[in-house]
Amino acid sequence: MSSAVSLHHSDAHVGHDAHHEHHHHETFISKYVFSQDHKMIARQFLITGIIWAIIGGLFSVLFRLQLGYPDQTFPWLEDILGHWAKGGKIQPEFYYALVTMHGTVLVFFVLTAGLSGTFANFLIPLQIGARDMASPMLNMLSYWFFFLASVIMISSLFVQTGPASGGWTIYPPLSALGDASMGSKIGMDLWLVSMAMFIVSSLLGGLNYITTILNMRTKGMSMTRMPLTCWALFFTAVLGVLSFPVLLSGAILLLFDRNLGTSFYLSDIVVAGKILPNEGGSAILFQHLFWFLGHPEVYIILLPAMGMSSEILAVNSRKPIFGYMAMVGSMFAITILAFLVWAHHMFVTGLNPFLGSVFVLLTLLIAVPSAIKVFNWLTTLWRGSIRFTPGMMFALGFVSLFISGGLTGIFLGNSSLDIHLHDTYFVIAHFHIVMGVASFFGMFAGIYHWFPKMFGRYLNNTLAYIHFWVTIVGAYLIFWPMHYEGLAGMPRRYYDYSTWVSFRQFGPLNEFISTVAMLVFAVQLLFVFNFFWSIFKGRKVTSQNPWESNTLEWTTPVSPGHGNWPGEIPEVHRWPYDYAKDGRDFIPQTEPIGANESHSH
């Protein structure tokens, strides 16, 4: 009798499960909108990120029009932008708004939320062998806070006085005084509120990623058997959780200064001959708060790209990653040092020279773990049987950009050189190559490599190769010449250089850069077409493991349901990089170690 009851009970349980599954697939809203499945949330982050990337890229095309052709008018601009482009010429105040929004959108909304939000969500549970994130509910909220931040930020483009225009770093007093400029009015408040929402989203996501990695690994998946991708995303989340609250406090205090009459950042200021009552604040305080997030932010953007590139390089070289523990150790070192270098952005603020020398030392030290990573990537490639898949091409592009962009950081990390180079085009060239373009390459590598897992289809290879070659050649043609402009002292964020005798010589060069920028932007639209077209019409994935990779995500069905594995979660017996071992091309992590197997890890 008891067995019959228990049998009946288990049947009911199975029935309930089946019903739950059935119910789960029923509603469009629960599956696609308020989804708690980490894979769907990853897609939401990715598609929102792509939309933002188009907007942010478009801003740069608009202001490159002004920089490349300062004497020309474009009547169609007035049709689109109205009074922001009177007479077909972008107005100076709107030019600053474009520069500000371009930086904000690409740094935070694309390379932070789009990169971490997509790949941490998608890969962590699949690669460590978990059904989902530790808290699917918080995960869903993390996306919707990001979405809310996006709505507020976009709405600032439509207010009459225009969006924030104090540069993406939003330094006071320009940002603290509503009368300072058009872009310091309501647009600035919207910027600050949007960033506050964005930070909440990052913190919810980060706490989830850390908890999931520490608590939800499958049997046999020790920390040292995790793919480098998961390590990178783990360190990224730690960086975000520790540094984003500092920017939140900085932004909230700035809102107080703007709207409640406090003086955290303001003191002894005269506006139009009138002395303001604010006393005792310090604009430099804001810089400390901003850059205490701002420098870890560089690695919040770079680390996921490093982790994914490591994985993709190993898979497509058909070789074990070189120096696994050194790779983990160097990421750990970068995570620690990222918190100790923020004042190298402030060498020109009147920083005590002795303190400056300490930050020079710490800044140059962070080159060591970066160099270890570069060395290990190159040795992974050495004598590998390389497959040049689109994902691999972008991973190689990432390594190239990281090296060439990182080298110029040694110039800027030196305080005496930085005094000459600060706020010139040299800085623009440096951080766009090392952080902007390189991270985008990591992101593209990830998209091309994991797209089959995300959508069950392949991207078009021909379009992918066009995308790669035009983008890498274009990126170098845009940003490499800027180093020379910077060495000549050409300051950034200026509206028109043509009136200066010393910078007029760069007119043809600026025109060339603007032309290439437009071409590169056009090719990104080709990628966007490829992406959305392939989701519906791409070649279907037939094999469970198209890249012959060892990691766990390729043991799930071609299009995994909510819960990832239909049966038991597989057990892990080895590290993820057993390629070209004992005469075999690859040995998945789930395969038990054989008695006569050579020792590897």
Side-chain angles (χ1 to χ4, degrees), residues 17-77:
D17 263 14
H19 170 72
H20 176 73
E21 274 299 302
H22 179 68
H23 176 74
H24 184 75
H25 288 293
E26 280 288 79
T27 68
F28 179 82
I29 299 271
S30 73
K31 184 168 183 197
Y32 292 106
V33 185
F34 296 111
S35 172
Q36 294 191 18
D37 179 359
H38 70 100
K39 298 181 293 301
M40 184 55 70
I41 294 171
R43 290 177 206 135
Q44 290 175 324
F45 268 109
L46 180 57
I47 288 167
T48 313
I50 286 175
I51 293 165
W52 266 123
I54 298 167
I55 296 169
L58 197 56
F59 290 158
S60 66
V61 165
L62 287 173
F63 67 70
R64 276 312 319 177
L65 263 181
Q66 164 60 31
L67 291 171
Y69 310 95
D71 304 327
Q72 294 183 32
T73 54
F74 303 93
W76 54 270
L77 273 179

Side-chain angles (χ1 to χ4, degrees), residues 472-585:
I472 191 156
V473 173
Y476 275 123
L477 289 179
I478 291 167
F479 296 113
W480 206 252
M482 288 186 187
H483 290 98
Y484 301 103
E485 296 183 328
L487 287 167
M490 190 160 139
R492 64 180 183 165
R493 291 189 189 150
Y494 277 37
Y495 172 73
D496 186 353
Y497 296 95
S498 60
T499 51
W500 274 335
V501 176
S502 46
F503 302 133
R504 201 176 293 147
Q505 58 178 327
F506 292 122
L509 184 58
N510 279 335
E511 195 174 323
F512 170 76
I513 291 173
S514 293
T515 310
V516 179
M518 288 166 210
L519 183 68
V520 170
F521 179 71
V523 169
Q524 306 319 307
L525 296 179
L526 185 73
F527 162 76
V528 172
F529 165 76
N530 190 4
F531 181 86
F532 288 106
W533 188 80
S534 299
I535 288 176
F536 302 105
K537 296 275 194 272
R539 194 162 47 90
K540 282 198 168 150
V541 176
T542 48
S543 135
Q544 201 175 5
N545 187 358
W547 311 125
E548 300 186 314
S549 175
N550 293 339
T551 40
L552 286 183
E553 73 269 30
W554 307 105
T555 62
T556 60
V558 172
S559 291
H562 193 171
N564 300 335
W565 287 270
E568 291 286 307
I569 298 179
E571 191 178 329
V572 170
H573 298 278
R574 61 180 71 235
W575 76 319
Y577 300 108
D578 273 338
Y579 294 103
K581 183 184 178 204
D582 297 343
R584 294 178 59 186
D585 186 33

